[in-house]
Amino acid sequence: MANVSTKKVSPRLIAGFRDQSPSNMILKRRVMEILIKQFELFGFDPFDSATVQLETVLFGEDEWTDMAYFRTWNNQTRMTQDSEKMALRFDLTVPLGSYVARNIETISRPFARWQIGNVFRGEKPSDGRFREFTQCDADILFAPGVASDVQIVALMSSVMNALDVGFQIRINNRKTLNGLPIAFKFDPEILVPVLQILDKRDKIGEEGIRFELRGSPDDKGEFQTTDLGLSSDQIEQLIAFTNIEGENTERLDQAAQIMQGIPGALAGIEELRELLALATMSGVDESNILVDLSMVRGLGYYTGPIFETILTDRPELGSVFAGGRYDNLVGRFSDASVPATGASFGIDRFLAYAKSEGLYKTPLTMNQVLVAYQPDTLVTATQVVAKLREAGVRALLYDGEDITFRHQIGHAKVLQIPWVVIVGSREVADGTVALKNMLKRTQDSMSVSAAVEKILAV
């Protein structure tokens, strides 16, 4: 007989991946239940996509990307030059576009779906940044009008209200940003790097923006970037544009003045005016929505209104719910025109915030009852726990090494289980159980049906 190795395997996790304890999962499930309720209240249906996708689907026919991702393979299959290359999905939106393209003839229009699922990215893990994380998306496809953008903004507001947190929804329009080269007379070819710099305003401040747009270092040698060829006047004009203040209508009026004679940019401003008006009619509090002309998001991805939600007491955490209009995604797979809009809730970021702030009282366990017994009352205890479950009570039948009542009740105390049903020799003889209220520290004898009634009455 072959010798069996006794060498132990390290139980370590790969960096950037996490296990989730029951208490963490209970909190996560509570937030997910709030999200799902709101998603479906707004008419979105559940959907899921395959976790493993072809690289051509994720990155295009040339399969080129600068993204760090996870490639996957069946180890029982020999890889050849002609083998299809597969990878784990890095978001939920690209697989959605692929699904719509494959079902373009039969899919309902508009198509509103919500999806919660894990995605994978190979980037370097850091504090709050993981290689596996959960995305919570809501999107409407075949939806060309501002009405659908409004529904996304109203959904974001409704979700944040249901989560009972202070928030602000910031909105802008990519069409307006696309007018900047014409308004300030610089080469449209440098619009993307200009917007990338402007998008960092919250991180590096106005002075950092000025240094990076100039392409020169500050006194500390920081902020050095490629010289974009912008004049000092153009740099100051760009900074002034992102600093436009006032009420939302005032901000839009100032932007419209700057964008005079630029039809596309003005169309973006009018879309924002309509979005604001309809959002208010949809129940979004005016104080919770702000036109932010410095917000960029998704270069090369978003095509119209864009929006992001921040927590007003922790703005440094960044956006927790963001998205916008993207009308070109399905176009990579099909010639069909599929205008779309949507948003993604950052549940991992929000859970870290909720946990640090102690926002929700969540139990350590889902068990309502622990059934305690002695070795000679196991049969009756098994029957009792079955009756509890039949009545809809979440019940755990204890099965630990220490079978003393003291230890069993102590176990319930550690897990903060609110009730203990005791099935001892005396209870079996009397045809009763002892129901112990762990919070009030009271104990009474009664029938199983009476115990069920009392437990469910709380």
Side-chain angles (χ1 to χ4, degrees):
M1 183 176 179
N3 292 328
V4 178
S5 174
T6 58
K7 185 178 180 181
K8 303 300 181 185
V9 177
S10 170
R12 70 182 182 88
L13 278 174
I14 300 170
F17 292 84
R18 299 164 293 167
D19 294 328
Q20 296 283 5
S21 68
S23 61
N24 284 346
M25 283 305 300
I26 289 169
L27 174 60
K28 183 174 184 176
R29 194 169 82 171
R30 175 169 179 177
V31 173
M32 287 170 59
E33 286 170 350
I34 292 173
L35 289 172
I36 292 170
K37 182 177 180 180
Q38 293 298 316
F39 289 162
E40 296 187 345
L41 184 66
F42 276 72
F44 293 81
D45 287 320
F47 171 82
D48 199 8
S49 58
T51 304
V52 177
Q53 299 278 338
L54 290 172
E55 290 187 17
T56 52
V57 168
L58 295 178
F59 308 117
E61 281 298 329
D62 56 5
E63 298 176 357
W64 181 90
T65 179
D66 57 2
M67 174 183 288
Y69 66 97
F70 286 99
R71 183 172 283 175
T72 184
W73 187 253
N74 180 347
N75 74 318
Q76 298 296 318
T77 305
R78 187 169 67 90
M79 182 181 290
T80 68
Q81 188 174 359
D82 297 327
S83 298
E84 291 183 319
K85 296 176 183 176
M86 300 175 290
L88 298 179
R89 64 188 181 193
F90 62 82
D91 76 354
L92 300 180
T93 312
V94 173
L96 171 65
S98 172
Y99 169 82
V100 171
R102 288 195 308 276
N103 297 275
I104 198 76
E105 300 298 332
T106 59
I107 199 167
S108 61
R109 304 185 184 194
F111 177 57
R113 79 87 168 91
W114 68 262
Q115 183 178 357
I116 298 178
N118 284 9
V119 298
F120 305 83
R121 297 182 186 176
E123 57 198 22
K124 184 178 180 180
S126 60
D127 186 29
R129 184 180 293 273
F130 304 100
R131 288 171 166 171
E132 178 185 14
F133 55 96
T134 304
Q135 286 192 336
C136 309
D137 289 9
D139 296 86
I140 311 173
L141 293 92
F142 302 99
V146 175
S148 291
D149 299 309
V150 172
Q151 294 310 300
I152 296 297
V153 171
L155 170 67
M156 295 166 75
S157 174
S158 188
V159 165
M160 300 309 286
N161 280 323
L163 292 169
D164 196 24
V165 293
F167 67 96
Q168 182 183 71
I169 301 172
R170 297 176 177 176
I171 64 171
N172 198 5
N173 200 309
R174 287 302 304 275
K175 294 177 182 177
T176 303
L177 294 174
N178 289 340
L180 290 176
I182 303 173
F184 301 141
K185 298 179 174 57
F186 63 84
D187 187 350
E189 291 295 321
I190 66 168
L191 176 61
V192 169
V194 165
L195 292 179
Q196 287 172 331
I197 293 171
L198 295 178
D199 196 38
K200 296 191 286 185
R201 189 181 70 163
D202 290 342
K203 294 181 180 178
I204 65 176
E206 184 176 309
E207 202 56 30
I209 292 292
R210 188 172 282 109
F211 276 113
E212 291 213 1
L213 288 175
R214 191 180 299 137
S216 59
D218 63 1
D219 294 338
K220 298 178 182 178
E222 298 176 351
F223 304 122
Q224 187 165 7
T225 58
T226 303
D227 186 353
L228 298 174
L230 294 169
S231 69
S232 295
D233 285 345
Q234 289 170 325
I235 290 172
E236 295 308 316
Q237 287 171 331
L238 285 165
I239 290 174
F241 181 81
T242 62
N243 284 337
I244 288 176
E245 296 181 345
E247 299 294 325
N248 285 328
T249 54
E250 295 172 339
R251 293 179 179 220
L252 292 175
D253 288 344
Q254 292 179 65
Q257 190 69 28
I258 293 170
M259 296 296 174
Q260 278 187 350
I262 309 174
L266 291 174
I269 292 170
E270 290 309 307
E271 285 179 358
L272 291 181
R273 292 191 197 277
E274 186 178 2
L275 191 156
L276 284 169
L278 291 174
T280 302
M281 296 176 192
S282 299
V284 180
D285 192 316
E286 289 184 46
S287 65
N288 287 335
I289 189 167
L290 178 71
V291 173
D292 182 355
L293 295 167
S294 71
M295 185 177 66
V296 176
R297 297 203 63 80
L299 293 168
Y301 183 75
Y302 292 113
T303 59
I306 50 178
F307 12 83
E308 66 179 24
T309 305
I310 63 165
L311 299 163
T312 50
D313 63 338
R314 295 286 299 280
E316 72 277 7
L317 290 178
S319 173
V320 295
F321 204 170
R325 173 160 290 278
Y326 56 99
D327 289 344
N328 300 327
L329 176 66
V330 179
R332 68 187 294 185
F333 305 111
S334 167
D335 291 332
S337 174
V338 185
T341 186
S344 180
F345 180 81
I347 191 168
D348 291 291
R349 179 175 292 180
F350 182 81
L351 288 173
Y353 163 76
K355 200 168 183 180
S356 67
E357 298 295 317
L359 289 188
Y360 310 113
K361 281 190 175 181
T362 52
L364 297 178
T365 175
M366 296 303 297
N367 293 306
Q368 295 170 283
V369 174
L370 181 140
V371 176
Y373 59 94
Q374 295 172 330
D376 60 343
T377 63
L378 174 59
V379 171
T380 303
T382 301
Q383 295 169 334
V384 167
V385 77
K387 290 179 181 178
L388 291 170
R389 292 168 182 163
E390 186 179 337
V393 177
R394 299 187 300 275
L396 170 68
L397 181 65
Y398 180 87
D399 185 25
E401 294 181 358
D402 190 336
I403 203 69
T404 62
F405 280 136
R406 179 179 179 180
H407 188 83
Q408 293 181 72
I409 293 170
H411 184 68
K413 184 177 181 180
V414 168
L415 291 181
Q416 298 177 7
I417 300 175
W419 301 94
V420 175
V421 169
I422 299 171
V423 183
S425 300
R426 182 185 304 170
E427 285 76 26
V428 171
D430 294 342
T432 62
V433 295
L435 180 62
K436 186 176 184 65
N437 186 318
M438 296 294 291
L439 298 177
K440 295 182 179 180
R441 298 182 181 180
T442 59
Q443 181 173 316
D444 300 291
S445 294
M446 62 191 72
S447 65
V448 175
S449 58
V452 166
E453 187 176 336
K454 196 165 185 178
I455 293 166
L456 295 178
V458 177

